[in-house]
């Protein structure tokens, strides 16, 4: 996928002194290139659609839907290309006609989750995250629609009906993955010894990274200063699972037009 992405970006690096060029970088990391040779932002989006989920402005390599580029570029914009990451399906039952989503779109047929209301149905589902692209709901393909059309479709689904959301998340950066793993480990620590300890969580994370399985992890913990805490086999197995999920990209980390999908 990285190789294909490089090819796609390279095709756009045909800089002409008579055309405006923009600095561009893949948000999860990579070299910075100059992009030109497109007539407008929709043309640029179409050329990158095979690998791209969204375009964000300067200093927004992290997911920030308020910086979503929808219709125009400014002279000094630095563009971050957020590539398509994991696909996921989430099944919900619509309760009282409200999901608790705020939606936005990029003006080119991609609708994103911009906000999640507190104490809402969706807030309870940790798999649904801000920045996710809503590709389909049930059997209805939503690519090509604006956010208002998607909101109206969600509103048309009767209360009490199940709906399956087909989502595509932005490819996580290494920092995103590590931070998510650290939060999970800190929560695991609290359940075990009723404290949050970032330093201890970091130590456990570092030890786990170099091991091939949970048995090696247990042996390493028993042979260092962490033995003092008396971590159980269940704790270490769960710790191993958190770090393994992070390595495989399975962890979910806790401007444009917008609307509420109520």
């Amino acid at each position: 996928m990285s190789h294909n992405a490089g090819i796609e970006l390279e095709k756009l690096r045909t800089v002409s002194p008579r055309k405006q060029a923009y600095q561009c970088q893949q948000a999860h990391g990579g070299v910075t290139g100059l992009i030109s040779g497109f007539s407008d932002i929709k043309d640029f989006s179409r050329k990158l659609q095979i690998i791209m989920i969204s375009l964000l402005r300067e200093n927004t390599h992290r997911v920030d839907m308020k910086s979503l580029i929808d219709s125009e570029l400014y002279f000094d914009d630095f563009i971050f290309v957020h590539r398509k990451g994991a696909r996921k399906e989430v099944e919900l039952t619509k309760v009282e006609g409200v999901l608790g989503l705020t939606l936005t779109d990029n003006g080119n047929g991609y609708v994103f989750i911009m906000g999640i209301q507190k104490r809402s149905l969706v807030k309870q589902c940790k798999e649904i995250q801000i920045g996710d692209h809503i590709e389909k709901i049930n059997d209805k393909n939503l690519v090509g629609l604006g956010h208002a059309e998607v909101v109206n479709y969600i509103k048309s689904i009767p209360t009490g009906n199940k709906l399956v959301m087909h989502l595509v998340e932005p490819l996580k950066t290494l920092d995103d993955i590590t931070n998510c793993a650290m939060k999970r480990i800190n929560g695991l620590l609290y359940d075990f010894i009723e404290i949050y300890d970032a330093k201890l969580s970091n130590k456990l994370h570092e030890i786990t990274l170099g091991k091939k399985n949970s048995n090696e992890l247990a042996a390493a913990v028993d042979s260092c200063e962490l033995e003092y805490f008396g971590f159980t086999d269940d704790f270490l197995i769960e710790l191993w699972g958190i770090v393994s999920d992070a390595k495989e990209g399975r962890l979910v980390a806790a401007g444009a037009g917008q609307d509420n999908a109520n």
Side-chain angles (χ1 to χ4, degrees), residues 202-259:
N202 187 58
K203 180 69 174 179
L204 286 166
H205 183 257
E206 288 179 352
I207 289 177
T208 308
L209 282 177
K211 305 301 171 289
K212 296 179 181 178
N213 52 54
S214 58
N215 291 331
E216 282 194 9
L217 171 61
V221 170
D222 287 343
S223 62
C224 72
E225 68 274 13
L226 297 183
E227 182 186 16
Y228 166 81
F229 292 95
F231 294 123
T232 64
D233 289 342
D234 287 344
F235 177 94
L236 295 174
I237 289 171
E238 194 164 348
L239 172 63
W240 175 257
I242 291 171
V243 177
S244 297
D245 284 347
K247 287 180 181 178
E248 298 298 323
R250 293 189 294 265
L251 282 187
V252 179
Q258 57 179 312
D259 209 338

Side-chain angles (χ1 to χ4, degrees), residues 6 21 23 31 33 40 42 48 67 75 84 92 94 98 107 155 157 163 189 193 195-196 211 230 247 256 260-262:
Q23 294 186 78
V31 298
D40 54 34
K42 287 190 176 182
L48 283 178
S67 297
F75 181 79
K84 295 176 181 178
L92 301 169
K94 191 175 179 186
V98 175
K155 288 181 176 179
I157 298 173
L163 57 129
L189 268 178
I193 54 179
I195 63 167
Y196 292 112
K211 305 301 171 289
K247 287 180 181 178
N260 291 321
N262 291 326

Side-chain angles (χ1 to χ4, degrees), residues 53 83-88 112 131-135 166-170:
I53 188 169
R83 286 181 48 203
K84 295 176 181 178
R87 279 185 160 80
K88 51 196 178 184
F112 302 90
D132 286 350
H133 161 53
I134 306 177
E135 191 173 50
H166 300 258
L167 306 170
V168 184
E169 66 182 33

